[in-house]
Amino acid sequence: MLAARQETERVLLTVADRGPGIAEAERARAVERFVRLPQNMSEPGSGPGFKSRGRVATLHGGELKLEDNAPGLRVVIALPRHVGG
């Protein structure tokens, strides 16, 4: 699922799946650079890149959050809503 929603002060971009998710205790580690969680060690690659996406959000005054999608994972990027110019 992919969604975008405006709030008064920010815009929320959400991507969610119905996969195995990431345990709450592992979510802080999942946003570290080049971290691969134990359940993904048999798969090729260097991780999904949450660290770089979080840095981009931060550079724009926002944040990245990993949440439970029951089942699956929900990734929310919250960015400030700038009105006018």
Side-chain angles (χ1 to χ4, degrees):
M1 183 221 31
L2 177 63
R5 186 177 86 223
Q6 283 189 35
E7 294 183 341
T8 305
E9 300 293 324
R10 60 190 186 161
V11 174
L12 301 178
L13 306 172
T14 304
V15 178
D17 67 24
R18 297 270 181 211
I22 298 175
E24 187 173 357
E26 295 286 336
R27 291 182 195 149
R29 282 194 61 234
V31 296
E32 294 174 6
R33 190 173 184 196
F34 299 120
V35 166
R36 305 223 24 228
L37 300 177
Q39 65 267 29
N40 297 324
M41 294 306 271
S42 63
E43 300 293 325
S46 59
F50 292 133
K51 177 69 174 179
S52 60
R53 286 156 181 80
R55 290 278 301 137
V56 170
T58 301
L59 288 171
H60 290 281
E63 65 178 332
L64 177 138
K65 294 188 284 184
L66 304 180
E67 302 175 343
D68 187 21
N69 197 43
L73 181 68
R74 182 171 40 246
V75 179
V76 180
I77 297 176
L79 298 169
R81 181 173 175 230
H82 297 289
V83 180

